[in-house]
Every structure is written in C-alpha cells, then in structure tokens.
Amino acid sequence: MFSTDIDRWREDFPALGFTDDGERLHGPVLWAEPAMPDQPPTVFTAQVEIIPGAAFPFAPPMVRLLDPGGPLEITFHINADNTLCLWEDDWSVDDAPWLDPRKLLDRIADWLQKTAAGWPGDDSCDLERYVDQEDDPRMVLYNATRLVPDQAVQTEGGPEIICITDRARRTGNIVNGRRRNRKDRRLAWVADIGSVVRPIRSWDDLAASLGTHAADVSRLIKMRVITVILLRYTRGGADAALALRVHPDDAGIRIAACESADTSTLTRAVRAGSVRTVLANVPIAIIGCGAIGSFTAELLFRSGARILTLVDAERLRPGNVVRHFADLQHVGWPKPHAVRDRLSAIDPDVTAVTVSHNRLTVLEEATALVLRHRVVVDATGSGRATSLLTAAVTRLDAGSDGTVVSVCVQRDGDVLRVDRMPLRPGENHMSPLPTVEHTSQLRERGCGAPISPTPPGAVVAAAELAIRVVIDEVTAERKLPATVADVRKPQDQPPFDVVGWITSDPPERAAS
C-alpha cells in the first residue's frame, strides 16, 4: 500500500463521522457497557484519534482514546505512549483487518467494551509494557523453582545479565542507614503478588502490591541496597514474572521494566517438542561422534534425550569443526568428550551422558551395546562397525527390543540414508547405492585419507533424518519403513534418480 492507497483508506472515514487534518483522524466510536440482568446495555460515544504512523499499513494505525464517553477504568492492553493495543498478533498486509475502517472501529469498540468488563478471560502476561523501559540493557535471569517470596536475595552481575540467586540476605542488620557487609548491596527483592487485576505503572502501584513489606523495601531501595524487584504473578491462570529496576530519585522511587527470563529446567525444555518426556527415559547410544554423530547427539539432547552413550576412538581435529557440533576450543579432545562438553552448554546436567573413547571392534562389544540401549545409532560410516551392529541386533532379535539405526551420507552428501534394524515382518531394506570411485583431491596434512567435500548442511540434514527414525521407534508409532533416503541430487541409478524422499516400503505397509 503506497501513499495513494493510504489516501483512499482515509477517504472512507468522513462518512463515519471523522474529521481529517491530513495527519490525524478524529471521530466517534459507539460502544456498549456490559448489560446488567434485565436491563438494556448503556451505549456511549467515545472520541478517538487515529494516526497512520510510519509502520502503517504493515502495523495497525496508532489509536488514542481522547474521551471514553462514559465511566471507564483503563487497565490492560494500552501501551506506554497511551496508544491502544488492539491486535496482539502480526498480520500479512494483504489480510490486515485495520485496512477496513469499519473493522478498525469495531475493534476499538470491542476494546472499550472489554475494558469496561475488566477483560474477562484475558491471560496476556505482559506487565512490562505499562512501565518505562530501563536504559540498562542487561537481562534479568531467575530460576522460578528456587525462589522464595518476600525476601531479599543476592544477585550476580555480568556485562549482559543480572542473575537473581536463591541466596537470601538478612536485611535486619542494615540499620541507621548503613550497610554492614559488602554483600548488602545490589540485592533483589522477590515477591509473589498473586492474580493481578490492573497493571503496575508507578512506585505507588508497586508498594500497594508489596503489602506490609512495602515500607522496608522502600527503605532498602533508598539506601541503594535493593536494586531489582522480581514480581511473580498470575493472569488468566497463566504464571508470569515482572522484573523491575528500582532506584531513588528526586520524586521518590523510580521503577523501570527489564527484560527477564526463567532459567528453570521446565522452561528450558518447553520448546523441545511433545516427545521430550518419552526420550528422557530412553537409553540411546551413538557410535561415531564425528560430523553426523555429533549433530545427532545434539538434536536428540535438545529434544529431551538424557540417557546417552557416546562412543568414538578419534580426537577432534581443527578441520573437523566445520562439520562438527564441537568447536575450536575442543580441538585435541576425544570426540565423545567434546560432544558431552558441548551438550552441557545446553543443559548443565549431563550426569547421564556416558562417554567412551574406544573403537567398536568385536561382536561381544556390539552385542552388549544393543542389550543396554533401546536404540543404537550407527553414525560411523564404517562398514566394519555397521556389520558388527547388524550381526548383534540380528542374533538378539528374538530376545531383545534393541534397535540399530544406521545413518550415512553418500556421494558427497547428494544422498542421505537411514536404515533401521532388525526388519519387521514384510519389510525389506532398499538396495544399496553402488559406491563410486572417490575423486576428491581434498587432503589434510597429518591425515592419510582424502577428505569428503560433503557440505555441513547435508550433515545436519542426515542427523535430523536419523532422529526421525529414532523417535518413530521409541514412541512405537512405527510409521517409517526400514529404509528412508533423501535424494538431494539425482543419481544415475533408480530409485535414486529422483530428488526427494524415497523409502524401501510404503509407510502403511511398514506400519502394519
């Protein structure tokens, strides 16, 4: 929508009772107060100002309430600049409802009616928008499962974050305006204020929510002992928190909102997907912690898997890191140890991640791995290791629920392939793609074998394909067949001559 389109949009407002000075539209919006039993609703006429700002039409116009036309306590869904928050979600400009003036006015009327009713059923937890924003850009972090309300706790600072700890400080020893300990500074006050019925906009609002603790907290703020307040609250049944920086000024106490985040395990796991709880209790081994194996471990760990065994006999080389989950700081580390260390950056609790800097060489070792794990992922790219694991799972077929998932990239990443073993009744593996003579001239000093030019994207895609098969197995959905391949570039042999997914059996047959 260009300037001429905006002009046409403005042309519809005069017929709706609006005046237009070329910048602002000013006019009436009819809205009805919630009706009482056996009484007709009272209709009011509000006066509003509409300004299509710089972001319009890709964002709604700015709307300010000049006169509600009747009694109205404004509480939620209004921005710090007093513009109404009419839509929470983004819209494509082609479908944006605010481009229809009548829909825009209906939305304003709906906002007025819901405000008069107290926003019933609303669960928007965004109290930050009602408070001035702090100039300090640091994020405030806290662990919601460890906080005890109505006490002062220590904080730990850094260039990007302020961490609220669970180490309480006794503030009773801070008397006569003096701090007796260096730790009696930059404290945070934690409070649980329950269900909120109106936003907090000032220190007076905040003090009212703190109840009997307000006087002590005020004193400690003025002594610059407490500098952060964390309010835990609920709205519409949803739990939330508001972090505020507080400090004294000439007018009393100034409050400003900070960006904050919960560091608890539950919050960090909520994006892991629906299979998180299943994967958490499934023992999975990854044999081969090179490129594909390292990203398979990462994706499984991010998805909720915690009982992992990582096996590889090699050390990480500088050239590996281009296609590896680990980075340069892990060069020289055994690959399983490097992967485990990187996993600890996602979740520090890696106590159930076992590492083995060994090579799989004998059938007894392969059999033991299959017996101890629900799934063994073969990411070695080694014919010997794959044969050992295939023999192990085959001979245990009748007495074990262990599964081997073998993943590899072929022809320099043009084909990704995953095979699951043992076969179920009626299944077959896809015929192998014939190997071709390796033409790569890429070599690394100190490394005897040629280097594959497989791109990093193919490695990550192969790992993702592998975990699809793993999840299909551990959730007992069993919708995927024994072989799944992703052809990224057509090859000279059917069925690998067509780009896309190919399988050994139709999914419905494999699942039966």
Side-chain angles (χ1 to χ4, degrees), residues 16 77 100 155 182 234 242 256 271 275 379:
L16 300 172
H77 296 283
D100 182 332
T155 65
R182 288 184 60 192
T234 62
L242 170 65
R271 294 174 175 83
V275 299

Side-chain angles (χ1 to χ4, degrees), residues 226-276:
I226 288 177
T227 58
V228 176
I229 292 181
L230 183 71
L231 301 177
R232 298 193 300 183
Y233 66 94
T234 62
R235 178 157 164 75
D239 295 326
L242 170 65
L244 299 168
R245 293 293 299 275
V246 291
H247 59 82
D249 62 13
D250 294 339
I253 295 177
R254 180 175 181 267
I255 69 172
C258 309
E259 185 175 359
S260 64
D262 177 22
T263 64
S264 67
T265 300
L266 180 61
T267 295
R268 287 186 287 109
V270 73
R271 294 174 175 83
S274 59
V275 299
R276 170 179 58 87

Side-chain angles (χ1 to χ4, degrees), residues 111 126 151 195 272 405 445 472 475:
W111 184 95
D126 57 351
Q151 67 174 358
S195 178
V405 174
R445 290 184 178 89
D472 181 69
T475 57

